[in-house]
Amino acid sequence: SVFTVNPLPAAITGAGSVCVNSMITLGSAPAGGVWSSGAVGIVGVGSASGLVSGIAAGTADVSYTLSTGCTTTATITVNPLPTPVCSSMLNYLGANTQFDVTSNVGTQPFTYAWNFGDGGQSLQTNPWHTYAAAGTYSVQLIVSGNNCPQLHDTVTKSLIIAFPRRD
């Protein structure tokens, strides 16, 4: 009997992580294989290109298969978008308001850029800010992470500053 032993494709090269709404390109050899995702709800991949897009946070196996049926696989991590949180979305005029952030964009160090909607800004992770006038403010946070330098995700929330309660 004659048996044919086909070589495996080369190990997959490229970044092991991508951010939601971002793309990376993976590679392998020899050329001509087909790319596929084991979790299309998390990672999309161009079947001929190896272009991977982050769809939702999580991990997914991406495979490269040759016409011989030989396959190599890599696990890709999709990093979630940041979520800014204010200690309360209703605060009182003259009160010091703390802003908190929960973020898993890539790995530390993260960079933060807050815009408080009244001209005030901060580069701190969890800043405090005091509003001088009552009203509704659009608070904006831009976060980027070390593993996703191409991601500068912007999240905006409304904050209401009311006149102090009189008891």
Side-chain angles (χ1 to χ4, degrees), residues 1-2 5 38 56 62 65 73 76 79 83 87 92 118 134 136-137:
S1 294
V2 176
V5 177
V62 173
T65 305
T73 301
I76 303 299
N79 296 307
T83 306
S87 54
Y92 295 99
D118 65 347
T136 301
Y137 296 90

Side-chain angles (χ1 to χ4, degrees), residues 13-116:
T13 59
S17 67
V18 63
C19 296
V20 171
N21 300 330
S22 294
M23 293 184 188
I24 58 171
T25 301
L26 300 179
S28 188
V34 176
W35 293 93
S36 61
S37 171
V40 294
I42 295 173
V43 168
V45 62
S47 63
S49 66
L51 185 63
V52 174
S53 58
I55 297 170
T59 58
D61 287 337
V62 173
S63 299
Y64 182 73
T65 305
L66 299 175
S67 60
T68 61
C70 296
T71 300
T72 187
T73 301
T75 300
I76 303 299
T77 300
V78 179
N79 296 307
L81 298 175
T83 306
V85 179
C86 179
S87 54
S88 171
M89 294 318 284
L90 171 62
N91 284 298
Y92 295 99
L93 184 62
N96 207 5
T97 302
Q98 182 174 20
F99 295 87
D100 302 310
V101 64
T102 301
S103 181
N104 295 316
V105 177
T107 57
Q108 301 250 4
F110 300 123
T111 58
Y112 303 92
W114 291 88
N115 179 333
F116 300 117

Side-chain angles (χ1 to χ4, degrees), residues 99 101 111-114 116 121-129 141:
F99 295 87
V101 64
T111 58
Y112 303 92
W114 291 88
F116 300 117
Q121 298 178 341
S122 176
L123 298 177
Q124 294 178 334
T125 303
N126 298 311
W128 290 83
H129 184 70
L141 169 63

